Amino acid sequence: MDFGFTAEDEGFRAEARGWLAAHADSAQDRRTWERTLGKAGWIGIGWPEGGYGNRTATLTQQVAWAEEYARSGAPPRSGHIGENLLAPTLIVHGSEKQKSRFLPPVAAGEELWCQGYSEPGAGSDLAGVRTSAVREGASYRITGQKIWTSLAHEADWCFVLARTDPGSRRHQGLSFLLVPMDQPGRIEVRPIRQMTGTSEFNEVFFDGARARVEHVVGAEGQGWRVAMSLLGFERGVSTLAQQIGFAAELGRVVRAAVRTGAVDDPVVRARLVRQWAELRAMRWNALRTLGGSGDPGAPSVAKLLWANWHQRLGELAVQVRGAEASAGPADWAPAAPYALDPDQHLFLFSRADTIYGGSDQVQRTIIAERVLGLPREPKGVV
């Protein structure tokens, strides 16, 4: 089958490994890598429309690309929010002017995006938005706070769900706004330091930040419909690439179990086999649902499966190493990011897997209400 690769593309794996070895994991390096991908047309291959500087690919080709990218050991992506969340949303709900303005820079790796959804006090209740956007002439004045905003410290733009009707409740009166992040004095980004010592997530404070009226996606008051559409794009081909990374982590845990002798314990062996079997089942489930529509529970089932699987793998990673898993590779310094080996990072970071992207409780509620038809859970007044 022809996947559209050229002779120039055959060296991608070597280029990716060489880049990763030669560059530190800095924001500037990640941005440079995005531009490298964009120049070759590798950003946006899953978009249903071409013409923005991107290649187009069938679903099978997208899967092949995502899996080969993961296997190559290529650098982590910092443009995936713009490519996989914002762009498909604009293609469905955006105006031609919005698509012409925002899609080419995403495809070129020139503009990075973050997502302004979650807020303090609302947990995973997206309808509990309190951030307000008041129209003043040709723009909106935005006031409020977002939290757990991934890569906000590197982003050029943020798509923000805000309340444009001050008298509205829950999912009514919300709008989907495209907001430039370069607004000194009006937007403040505060990194949130995690147990791992890293700060991928941030708090974002809007104090009179501006968004142009023409940058409302859909229409004023239709933000909930647009936001729900975006969440439908959140899980797809990337799930299969994610599982390639999971397989590599599982292989590392198995090798550690053999090295330490933990594999001789029948209970540990049973847990390792279970992790392998469940990973295979997740892959077949992802392939089964890939490209499908009309199943409101499929994304929630997938999230429940991988999040809990990954969390158990993190626990197993430190269990098979015994006492050595508690010793870091470098001296611990509480005032600065401290070093963790891959297993320790896996154990600590995976604690968040069942919370971010919609907690386990939220996913089970979605399945109960939208799939099983059970009575809706009462919601408090916002």
Side-chain angles (χ1 to χ4, degrees), residues 25-28 30-31 34 76-83 85 111-116 147-159 181 189-192 194 198-204 349:
D25 186 22
S26 70
Q28 185 57 48
R30 287 191 293 272
R31 188 176 287 268
E34 289 297 317
R77 295 289 310 280
S78 57
H80 62 89
I81 295 175
E83 177 185 8
L85 298 183
E111 290 183 348
L112 304 182
W113 286 78
C114 61
Q115 174 176 292
I147 198 166
W148 308 121
T149 310
S150 300
L151 301 177
H153 57 297
E154 300 180 15
D156 304 295
W157 287 80
C158 181
F159 49 88
M181 293 293 287
V189 177
R190 298 180 188 173
I192 301 173
Q194 298 132 222
T198 56
S199 303
E200 295 91 349
F201 304 119
N202 304 268
E203 294 177 282
V204 181
F349 193 86

Side-chain angles (χ1 to χ4, degrees), residues 136-149:
E136 297 180 346
S139 66
Y140 289 89
R141 176 170 50 83
I142 304 168
T143 304
Q145 179 186 355
K146 299 294 182 177
I147 198 166
W148 308 121
T149 310

